[in-house]
């Protein structure tokens, strides 16, 4: 029994090493951006209905390569717009996401990836691209230069 608990703890620990640290509040993301001298990556997604959003998450955001790189370079900010009832966000978060969309995604594109500076100024934007993690990182970096 103890061995199972230890193995389970190790499994959880290694999984959490590369877990993406998503922020959900722009003010917090800006503070973290200033403190760490990092750009902000704001991602608009529909996590339970948007096929390109799901692909972007699986291929890029969830990849070990991106997570290792991004931890030192970016503050990740998520604005999710799920449609299924069981995935409904708390009203406060829904309102925050809608406010972000009013400012940064007026056309309602999904997925939309917006690179911001520490003050919230748009440096560039993109969406889902069927490219490698390295190529996607290079694309995001090109907005920060």
């Amino acid at each position: 029994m103890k061995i199972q608990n230890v193995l389970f703890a190790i499994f959880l620990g290694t999984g959490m090493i590369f877990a993406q640290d998503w922020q959900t509040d722009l003010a917090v993301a800006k503070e973290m951006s200033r403190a760490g001298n990092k750009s902000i990556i704001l991602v608009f997604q529909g996590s339970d209905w948007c096929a390109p959003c799901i692909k972007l998450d699986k291929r890029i955001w969830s990849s070990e390569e991106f997570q290792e790189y991004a931890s030192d370079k970016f503050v990740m900010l998520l604005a999710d717009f799920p449609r299924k009832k069981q995935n409904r966000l708390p009203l406060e978060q829904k309102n925050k996401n809608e406010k972000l969309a009013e400012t940064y995604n007026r056309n309602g594109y999904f997925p939309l990836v917006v690179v911001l500076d520490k003050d919230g100024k748009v440096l560039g934007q993109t969406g889902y691209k069927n490219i490698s993690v390295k190529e996607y990182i290079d694309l995001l970096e090109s907005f920060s230069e």
Side-chain angles (χ1 to χ4, degrees):
M1 186 88 157
K2 286 184 179 183
I3 293 174
Q4 286 177 329
N5 289 342
V6 170
L7 290 176
F8 183 68
I10 291 171
F11 174 75
L12 278 179
T14 52
M16 291 179 178
I17 289 173
F18 297 110
Q20 193 69 55
D21 185 21
W22 289 97
Q23 301 305 309
T24 56
D25 184 285
L26 180 59
V28 172
K30 285 180 179 179
E31 287 176 24
M32 293 175 70
S33 174
R34 286 184 190 105
N37 196 30
K38 301 176 182 182
S39 296
I40 300 168
I41 295 182
L42 168 56
V43 179
F44 290 93
Q45 73 173 21
S47 62
D48 64 4
W49 59 270
C50 171
C53 301
I54 294 165
K55 285 181 184 177
L56 183 60
D57 183 52
K58 286 183 179 177
R59 291 185 181 176
I60 305 298
W61 311 138
S62 295
S63 74
E64 185 176 317
E65 181 181 355
F66 181 81
Q67 290 178 13
E68 283 182 20
Y69 179 81
S71 66
D72 293 330
K73 301 287 183 181
F74 301 115
V75 175
M76 302 298 292
L77 176 61
L78 180 63
D80 191 16
F81 291 83
R83 290 186 178 165
K84 294 180 182 175
K85 188 176 180 179
Q86 68 267 23
N87 298 330
R88 191 175 298 149
L89 299 173
L91 184 59
E92 180 183 356
Q93 188 61 52
K94 182 180 177 204
N95 291 339
K96 284 181 185 180
N97 291 354
E98 288 173 357
K99 187 174 180 185
L100 283 169
E102 287 172 13
T103 304
Y104 297 107
N105 192 4
R106 290 181 183 221
N107 294 321
Y109 294 127
F110 290 89
L112 180 65
V113 178
V114 185
V115 181
L116 307 170
D117 71 7
K118 66 185 182 322
D119 298 314
K121 178 184 168 211
V122 175
L123 301 174
Q125 63 183 35
T126 188
Y128 172 74
K129 304 240 187 259
N130 190 16
I131 57 179
S132 72
V133 174
K134 170 80 170 93
E135 291 168 315
Y136 208 89
I137 289 170
D138 290 345
L139 175 61
L140 295 173
E141 279 291 321
S142 73
F143 299 136
S144 298
E145 297 173 348

